[in-house]
Amino acid sequence: MASALGRLLAVLSAAISLPAAADEAPSEPPPPGRLTLTLDGSGAGTLFAVGAGSRLRLEAAVARSLSVWAGPQLRLIASGFLHSESVITPEIAIGARWFPDGSAPEGFNVGLHGSAGQGSYHYENKPLFFGETTQEDGSGFTWSAGASAGYEWISKGGFCFGLRLEVTHGTISLRDHENDVLVGLGYSIGGVL
């Protein structure tokens, strides 16, 4: 009987101390842990090429100031005038973004990203005045790597919208195996999961 009473007192004292422990603030807030799913779009260019891209991005806040993301991406690139090439490339893209104010995945951020895939191209050589247009089709490995800076808004209802400046170095010509830097603007639209 005494041991049963001792156990009952131990359970009661533990139950009384639980609310007090719940009221104590943790020393460091846990990571937000929010997942977002967004559709991203971008447009970029150089003097010799223009590109557009779209990706589906699943992003997770892995720490208060850091998020990582991954998803499928489609890049379209057109280059040249008389000698023109169009590249269509499905890729897998990954990236990470740093949020200096500790609010990942919302607020001002800077990030790094990369992608790789297998693309196809169509090349045309159009003579200026006389001659026959020649055409060629093919495929090859594509890649890109770059950096971005932007701002991501998340509403109380969980709607996400973002704008960013991107600088990307990667494949612009599969036929001639050329790489170049593309600079452009991007957006994202989606929601919190």
mmCIF file with all atom_site columns, all heavy atoms in Angstrom, residues 105-116:
data_model
loop_
_atom_site.group_PDB
_atom_site.id
_atom_site.type_symbol
_atom_site.label_atom_id
_atom_site.label_alt_id
_atom_site.label_comp_id
_atom_site.label_asym_id
_atom_site.label_entity_id
_atom_site.label_seq_id
_atom_site.pdbx_PDB_ins_code
_atom_site.Cartn_x
_atom_site.Cartn_y
_atom_site.Cartn_z
_atom_site.occupancy
_atom_site.B_iso_or_equiv
_atom_site.pdbx_formal_charge
_atom_site.auth_seq_id
_atom_site.auth_comp_id
_atom_site.auth_asym_id
_atom_site.auth_atom_id
_atom_site.pdbx_PDB_model_num
ATOM 1  N N   . PRO A 1 105 ? 10.944 29.886 -45.146 1.00 0.00 ? 105 PRO A N   1
ATOM 2  C CA  . PRO A 1 105 ? 11.268 30.309 -46.511 1.00 0.00 ? 105 PRO A CA  1
ATOM 3  C C   . PRO A 1 105 ? 10.573 31.605 -46.922 1.00 0.00 ? 105 PRO A C   1
ATOM 4  O O   . PRO A 1 105 ? 10.043 31.708 -48.015 1.00 0.00 ? 105 PRO A O   1
ATOM 5  C CB  . PRO A 1 105 ? 10.765 29.138 -47.332 1.00 0.00 ? 105 PRO A CB  1
ATOM 6  C CG  . PRO A 1 105 ? 9.522  28.709 -46.606 1.00 0.00 ? 105 PRO A CG  1
ATOM 7  C CD  . PRO A 1 105 ? 9.827  28.954 -45.139 1.00 0.00 ? 105 PRO A CD  1
ATOM 8  N N   . GLU A 1 106 ? 10.543 32.606 -46.050 1.00 0.00 ? 106 GLU A N   1
ATOM 9  C CA  . GLU A 1 106 ? 9.861  33.862 -46.339 1.00 0.00 ? 106 GLU A CA  1
ATOM 10 C C   . GLU A 1 106 ? 10.822 35.024 -46.100 1.00 0.00 ? 106 GLU A C   1
ATOM 11 O O   . GLU A 1 106 ? 11.645 34.979 -45.201 1.00 0.00 ? 106 GLU A O   1
ATOM 12 C CB  . GLU A 1 106 ? 8.650  33.993 -45.411 1.00 0.00 ? 106 GLU A CB  1
ATOM 13 C CG  . GLU A 1 106 ? 7.843  35.236 -45.605 1.00 0.00 ? 106 GLU A CG  1
ATOM 14 C CD  . GLU A 1 106 ? 6.626  35.283 -44.699 1.00 0.00 ? 106 GLU A CD  1
ATOM 15 O OE1 . GLU A 1 106 ? 6.542  34.510 -43.745 1.00 0.00 ? 106 GLU A OE1 1
ATOM 16 O OE2 . GLU A 1 106 ? 5.766  36.127 -44.963 1.00 0.00 ? 106 GLU A OE2 1
ATOM 17 N N   . GLY A 1 107 ? 10.734 36.074 -46.944 1.00 0.00 ? 107 GLY A N   1
ATOM 18 C CA  . GLY A 1 107 ? 11.544 37.265 -46.760 1.00 0.00 ? 107 GLY A CA  1
ATOM 19 C C   . GLY A 1 107 ? 12.653 37.377 -47.788 1.00 0.00 ? 107 GLY A C   1
ATOM 20 O O   . GLY A 1 107 ? 12.701 36.646 -48.774 1.00 0.00 ? 107 GLY A O   1
ATOM 21 N N   . PHE A 1 108 ? 13.565 38.323 -47.515 1.00 0.00 ? 108 PHE A N   1
ATOM 22 C CA  . PHE A 1 108 ? 14.712 38.524 -48.400 1.00 0.00 ? 108 PHE A CA  1
ATOM 23 C C   . PHE A 1 108 ? 15.615 37.302 -48.340 1.00 0.00 ? 108 PHE A C   1
ATOM 24 O O   . PHE A 1 108 ? 15.842 36.738 -47.269 1.00 0.00 ? 108 PHE A O   1
ATOM 25 C CB  . PHE A 1 108 ? 15.496 39.772 -47.993 1.00 0.00 ? 108 PHE A CB  1
ATOM 26 C CG  . PHE A 1 108 ? 16.771 39.929 -48.768 1.00 0.00 ? 108 PHE A CG  1
ATOM 27 C CD1 . PHE A 1 108 ? 16.748 40.381 -50.078 1.00 0.00 ? 108 PHE A CD1 1
ATOM 28 C CD2 . PHE A 1 108 ? 17.986 39.584 -48.205 1.00 0.00 ? 108 PHE A CD2 1
ATOM 29 C CE1 . PHE A 1 108 ? 17.922 40.499 -50.810 1.00 0.00 ? 108 PHE A CE1 1
ATOM 30 C CE2 . PHE A 1 108 ? 19.170 39.699 -48.929 1.00 0.00 ? 108 PHE A CE2 1
ATOM 31 C CZ  . PHE A 1 108 ? 19.131 40.162 -50.235 1.00 0.00 ? 108 PHE A CZ  1
ATOM 32 N N   . ASN A 1 109 ? 16.152 36.908 -49.505 1.00 0.00 ? 109 ASN A N   1
ATOM 33 C CA  . ASN A 1 109 ? 17.005 35.718 -49.550 1.00 0.00 ? 109 ASN A CA  1
ATOM 34 C C   . ASN A 1 109 ? 18.018 35.810 -50.672 1.00 0.00 ? 109 ASN A C   1
ATOM 35 O O   . ASN A 1 109 ? 17.810 36.521 -51.649 1.00 0.00 ? 109 ASN A O   1
ATOM 36 C CB  . ASN A 1 109 ? 16.151 34.454 -49.711 1.00 0.00 ? 109 ASN A CB  1
ATOM 37 C CG  . ASN A 1 109 ? 15.362 34.472 -51.009 1.00 0.00 ? 109 ASN A CG  1
ATOM 38 O OD1 . ASN A 1 109 ? 15.873 34.128 -52.061 1.00 0.00 ? 109 ASN A OD1 1
ATOM 39 N ND2 . ASN A 1 109 ? 14.100 34.887 -50.945 1.00 0.00 ? 109 ASN A ND2 1
ATOM 40 N N   . VAL A 1 110 ? 19.107 35.081 -50.490 1.00 0.00 ? 110 VAL A N   1
ATOM 41 C CA  . VAL A 1 110 ? 20.096 34.872 -51.548 1.00 0.00 ? 110 VAL A CA  1
ATOM 42 C C   . VAL A 1 110 ? 20.281 33.365 -51.677 1.00 0.00 ? 110 VAL A C   1
ATOM 43 O O   . VAL A 1 110 ? 20.176 32.640 -50.685 1.00 0.00 ? 110 VAL A O   1
ATOM 44 C CB  . VAL A 1 110 ? 21.443 35.572 -51.260 1.00 0.00 ? 110 VAL A CB  1
ATOM 45 C CG1 . VAL A 1 110 ? 21.300 37.069 -51.332 1.00 0.00 ? 110 VAL A CG1 1
ATOM 46 C CG2 . VAL A 1 110 ? 22.011 35.156 -49.936 1.00 0.00 ? 110 VAL A CG2 1
ATOM 47 N N   . GLY A 1 111 ? 20.515 32.911 -52.883 1.00 0.00 ? 111 GLY A N   1
ATOM 48 C CA  . GLY A 1 111 ? 20.585 31.467 -53.070 1.00 0.00 ? 111 GLY A CA  1
ATOM 49 C C   . GLY A 1 111 ? 21.535 31.025 -54.156 1.00 0.00 ? 111 GLY A C   1
ATOM 50 O O   . GLY A 1 111 ? 22.019 31.831 -54.959 1.00 0.00 ? 111 GLY A O   1
ATOM 51 N N   . LEU A 1 112 ? 21.790 29.725 -54.156 1.00 0.00 ? 112 LEU A N   1
ATOM 52 C CA  . LEU A 1 112 ? 22.575 29.047 -55.186 1.00 0.00 ? 112 LEU A CA  1
ATOM 53 C C   . LEU A 1 112 ? 21.721 27.940 -55.770 1.00 0.00 ? 112 LEU A C   1
ATOM 54 O O   . LEU A 1 112 ? 20.916 27.328 -55.060 1.00 0.00 ? 112 LEU A O   1
ATOM 55 C CB  . LEU A 1 112 ? 23.852 28.450 -54.587 1.00 0.00 ? 112 LEU A CB  1
ATOM 56 C CG  . LEU A 1 112 ? 24.834 29.429 -53.967 1.00 0.00 ? 112 LEU A CG  1
ATOM 57 C CD1 . LEU A 1 112 ? 25.957 28.673 -53.276 1.00 0.00 ? 112 LEU A CD1 1
ATOM 58 C CD2 . LEU A 1 112 ? 25.392 30.373 -55.022 1.00 0.00 ? 112 LEU A CD2 1
ATOM 59 N N   . HIS A 1 113 ? 21.880 27.682 -57.065 1.00 0.00 ? 113 HIS A N   1
ATOM 60 C CA  . HIS A 1 113 ? 21.105 26.620 -57.704 1.00 0.00 ? 113 HIS A CA  1
ATOM 61 C C   . HIS A 1 113 ? 21.919 25.959 -58.808 1.00 0.00 ? 113 HIS A C   1
ATOM 62 O O   . HIS A 1 113 ? 22.881 26.535 -59.313 1.00 0.00 ? 113 HIS A O   1
ATOM 63 C CB  . HIS A 1 113 ? 19.785 27.166 -58.265 1.00 0.00 ? 113 HIS A CB  1
ATOM 64 C CG  . HIS A 1 113 ? 19.974 28.273 -59.258 1.00 0.00 ? 113 HIS A CG  1
ATOM 65 N ND1 . HIS A 1 113 ? 20.037 29.593 -58.897 1.00 0.00 ? 113 HIS A ND1 1
ATOM 66 C CD2 . HIS A 1 113 ? 20.146 28.257 -60.603 1.00 0.00 ? 113 HIS A CD2 1
ATOM 67 C CE1 . HIS A 1 113 ? 20.204 30.341 -59.969 1.00 0.00 ? 113 HIS A CE1 1
ATOM 68 N NE2 . HIS A 1 113 ? 20.286 29.548 -61.026 1.00 0.00 ? 113 HIS A NE2 1
ATOM 69 N N   . GLY A 1 114 ? 21.513 24.766 -59.162 1.00 0.00 ? 114 GLY A N   1
ATOM 70 C CA  . GLY A 1 114 ? 22.145 24.033 -60.252 1.00 0.00 ? 114 GLY A CA  1
ATOM 71 C C   . GLY A 1 114 ? 21.156 23.085 -60.883 1.00 0.00 ? 114 GLY A C   1
ATOM 72 O O   . GLY A 1 114 ? 20.143 22.730 -60.280 1.00 0.00 ? 114 GLY A O   1
ATOM 73 N N   . SER A 1 115 ? 21.428 22.668 -62.108 1.00 0.00 ? 115 SER A N   1
ATOM 74 C CA  . SER A 1 115 ? 20.543 21.737 -62.796 1.00 0.00 ? 115 SER A CA  1
ATOM 75 C C   . SER A 1 115 ? 21.340 20.933 -63.827 1.00 0.00 ? 115 SER A C   1
ATOM 76 O O   . SER A 1 115 ? 22.414 21.338 -64.250 1.00 0.00 ? 115 SER A O   1
ATOM 77 C CB  . SER A 1 115 ? 19.395 22.478 -63.499 1.00 0.00 ? 115 SER A CB  1
ATOM 78 O OG  . SER A 1 115 ? 19.903 23.301 -64.531 1.00 0.00 ? 115 SER A OG  1
ATOM 79 N N   . ALA A 1 116 ? 20.786 19.804 -64.195 1.00 0.00 ? 116 ALA A N   1
ATOM 80 C CA  . ALA A 1 116 ? 21.388 18.961 -65.226 1.00 0.00 ? 116 ALA A CA  1
ATOM 81 C C   . ALA A 1 116 ? 20.278 18.185 -65.924 1.00 0.00 ? 116 ALA A C   1
ATOM 82 O O   . ALA A 1 116 ? 19.254 17.879 -65.316 1.00 0.00 ? 116 ALA A O   1
ATOM 83 C CB  . ALA A 1 116 ? 22.401 17.999 -64.612 1.00 0.00 ? 116 ALA A CB  1
#
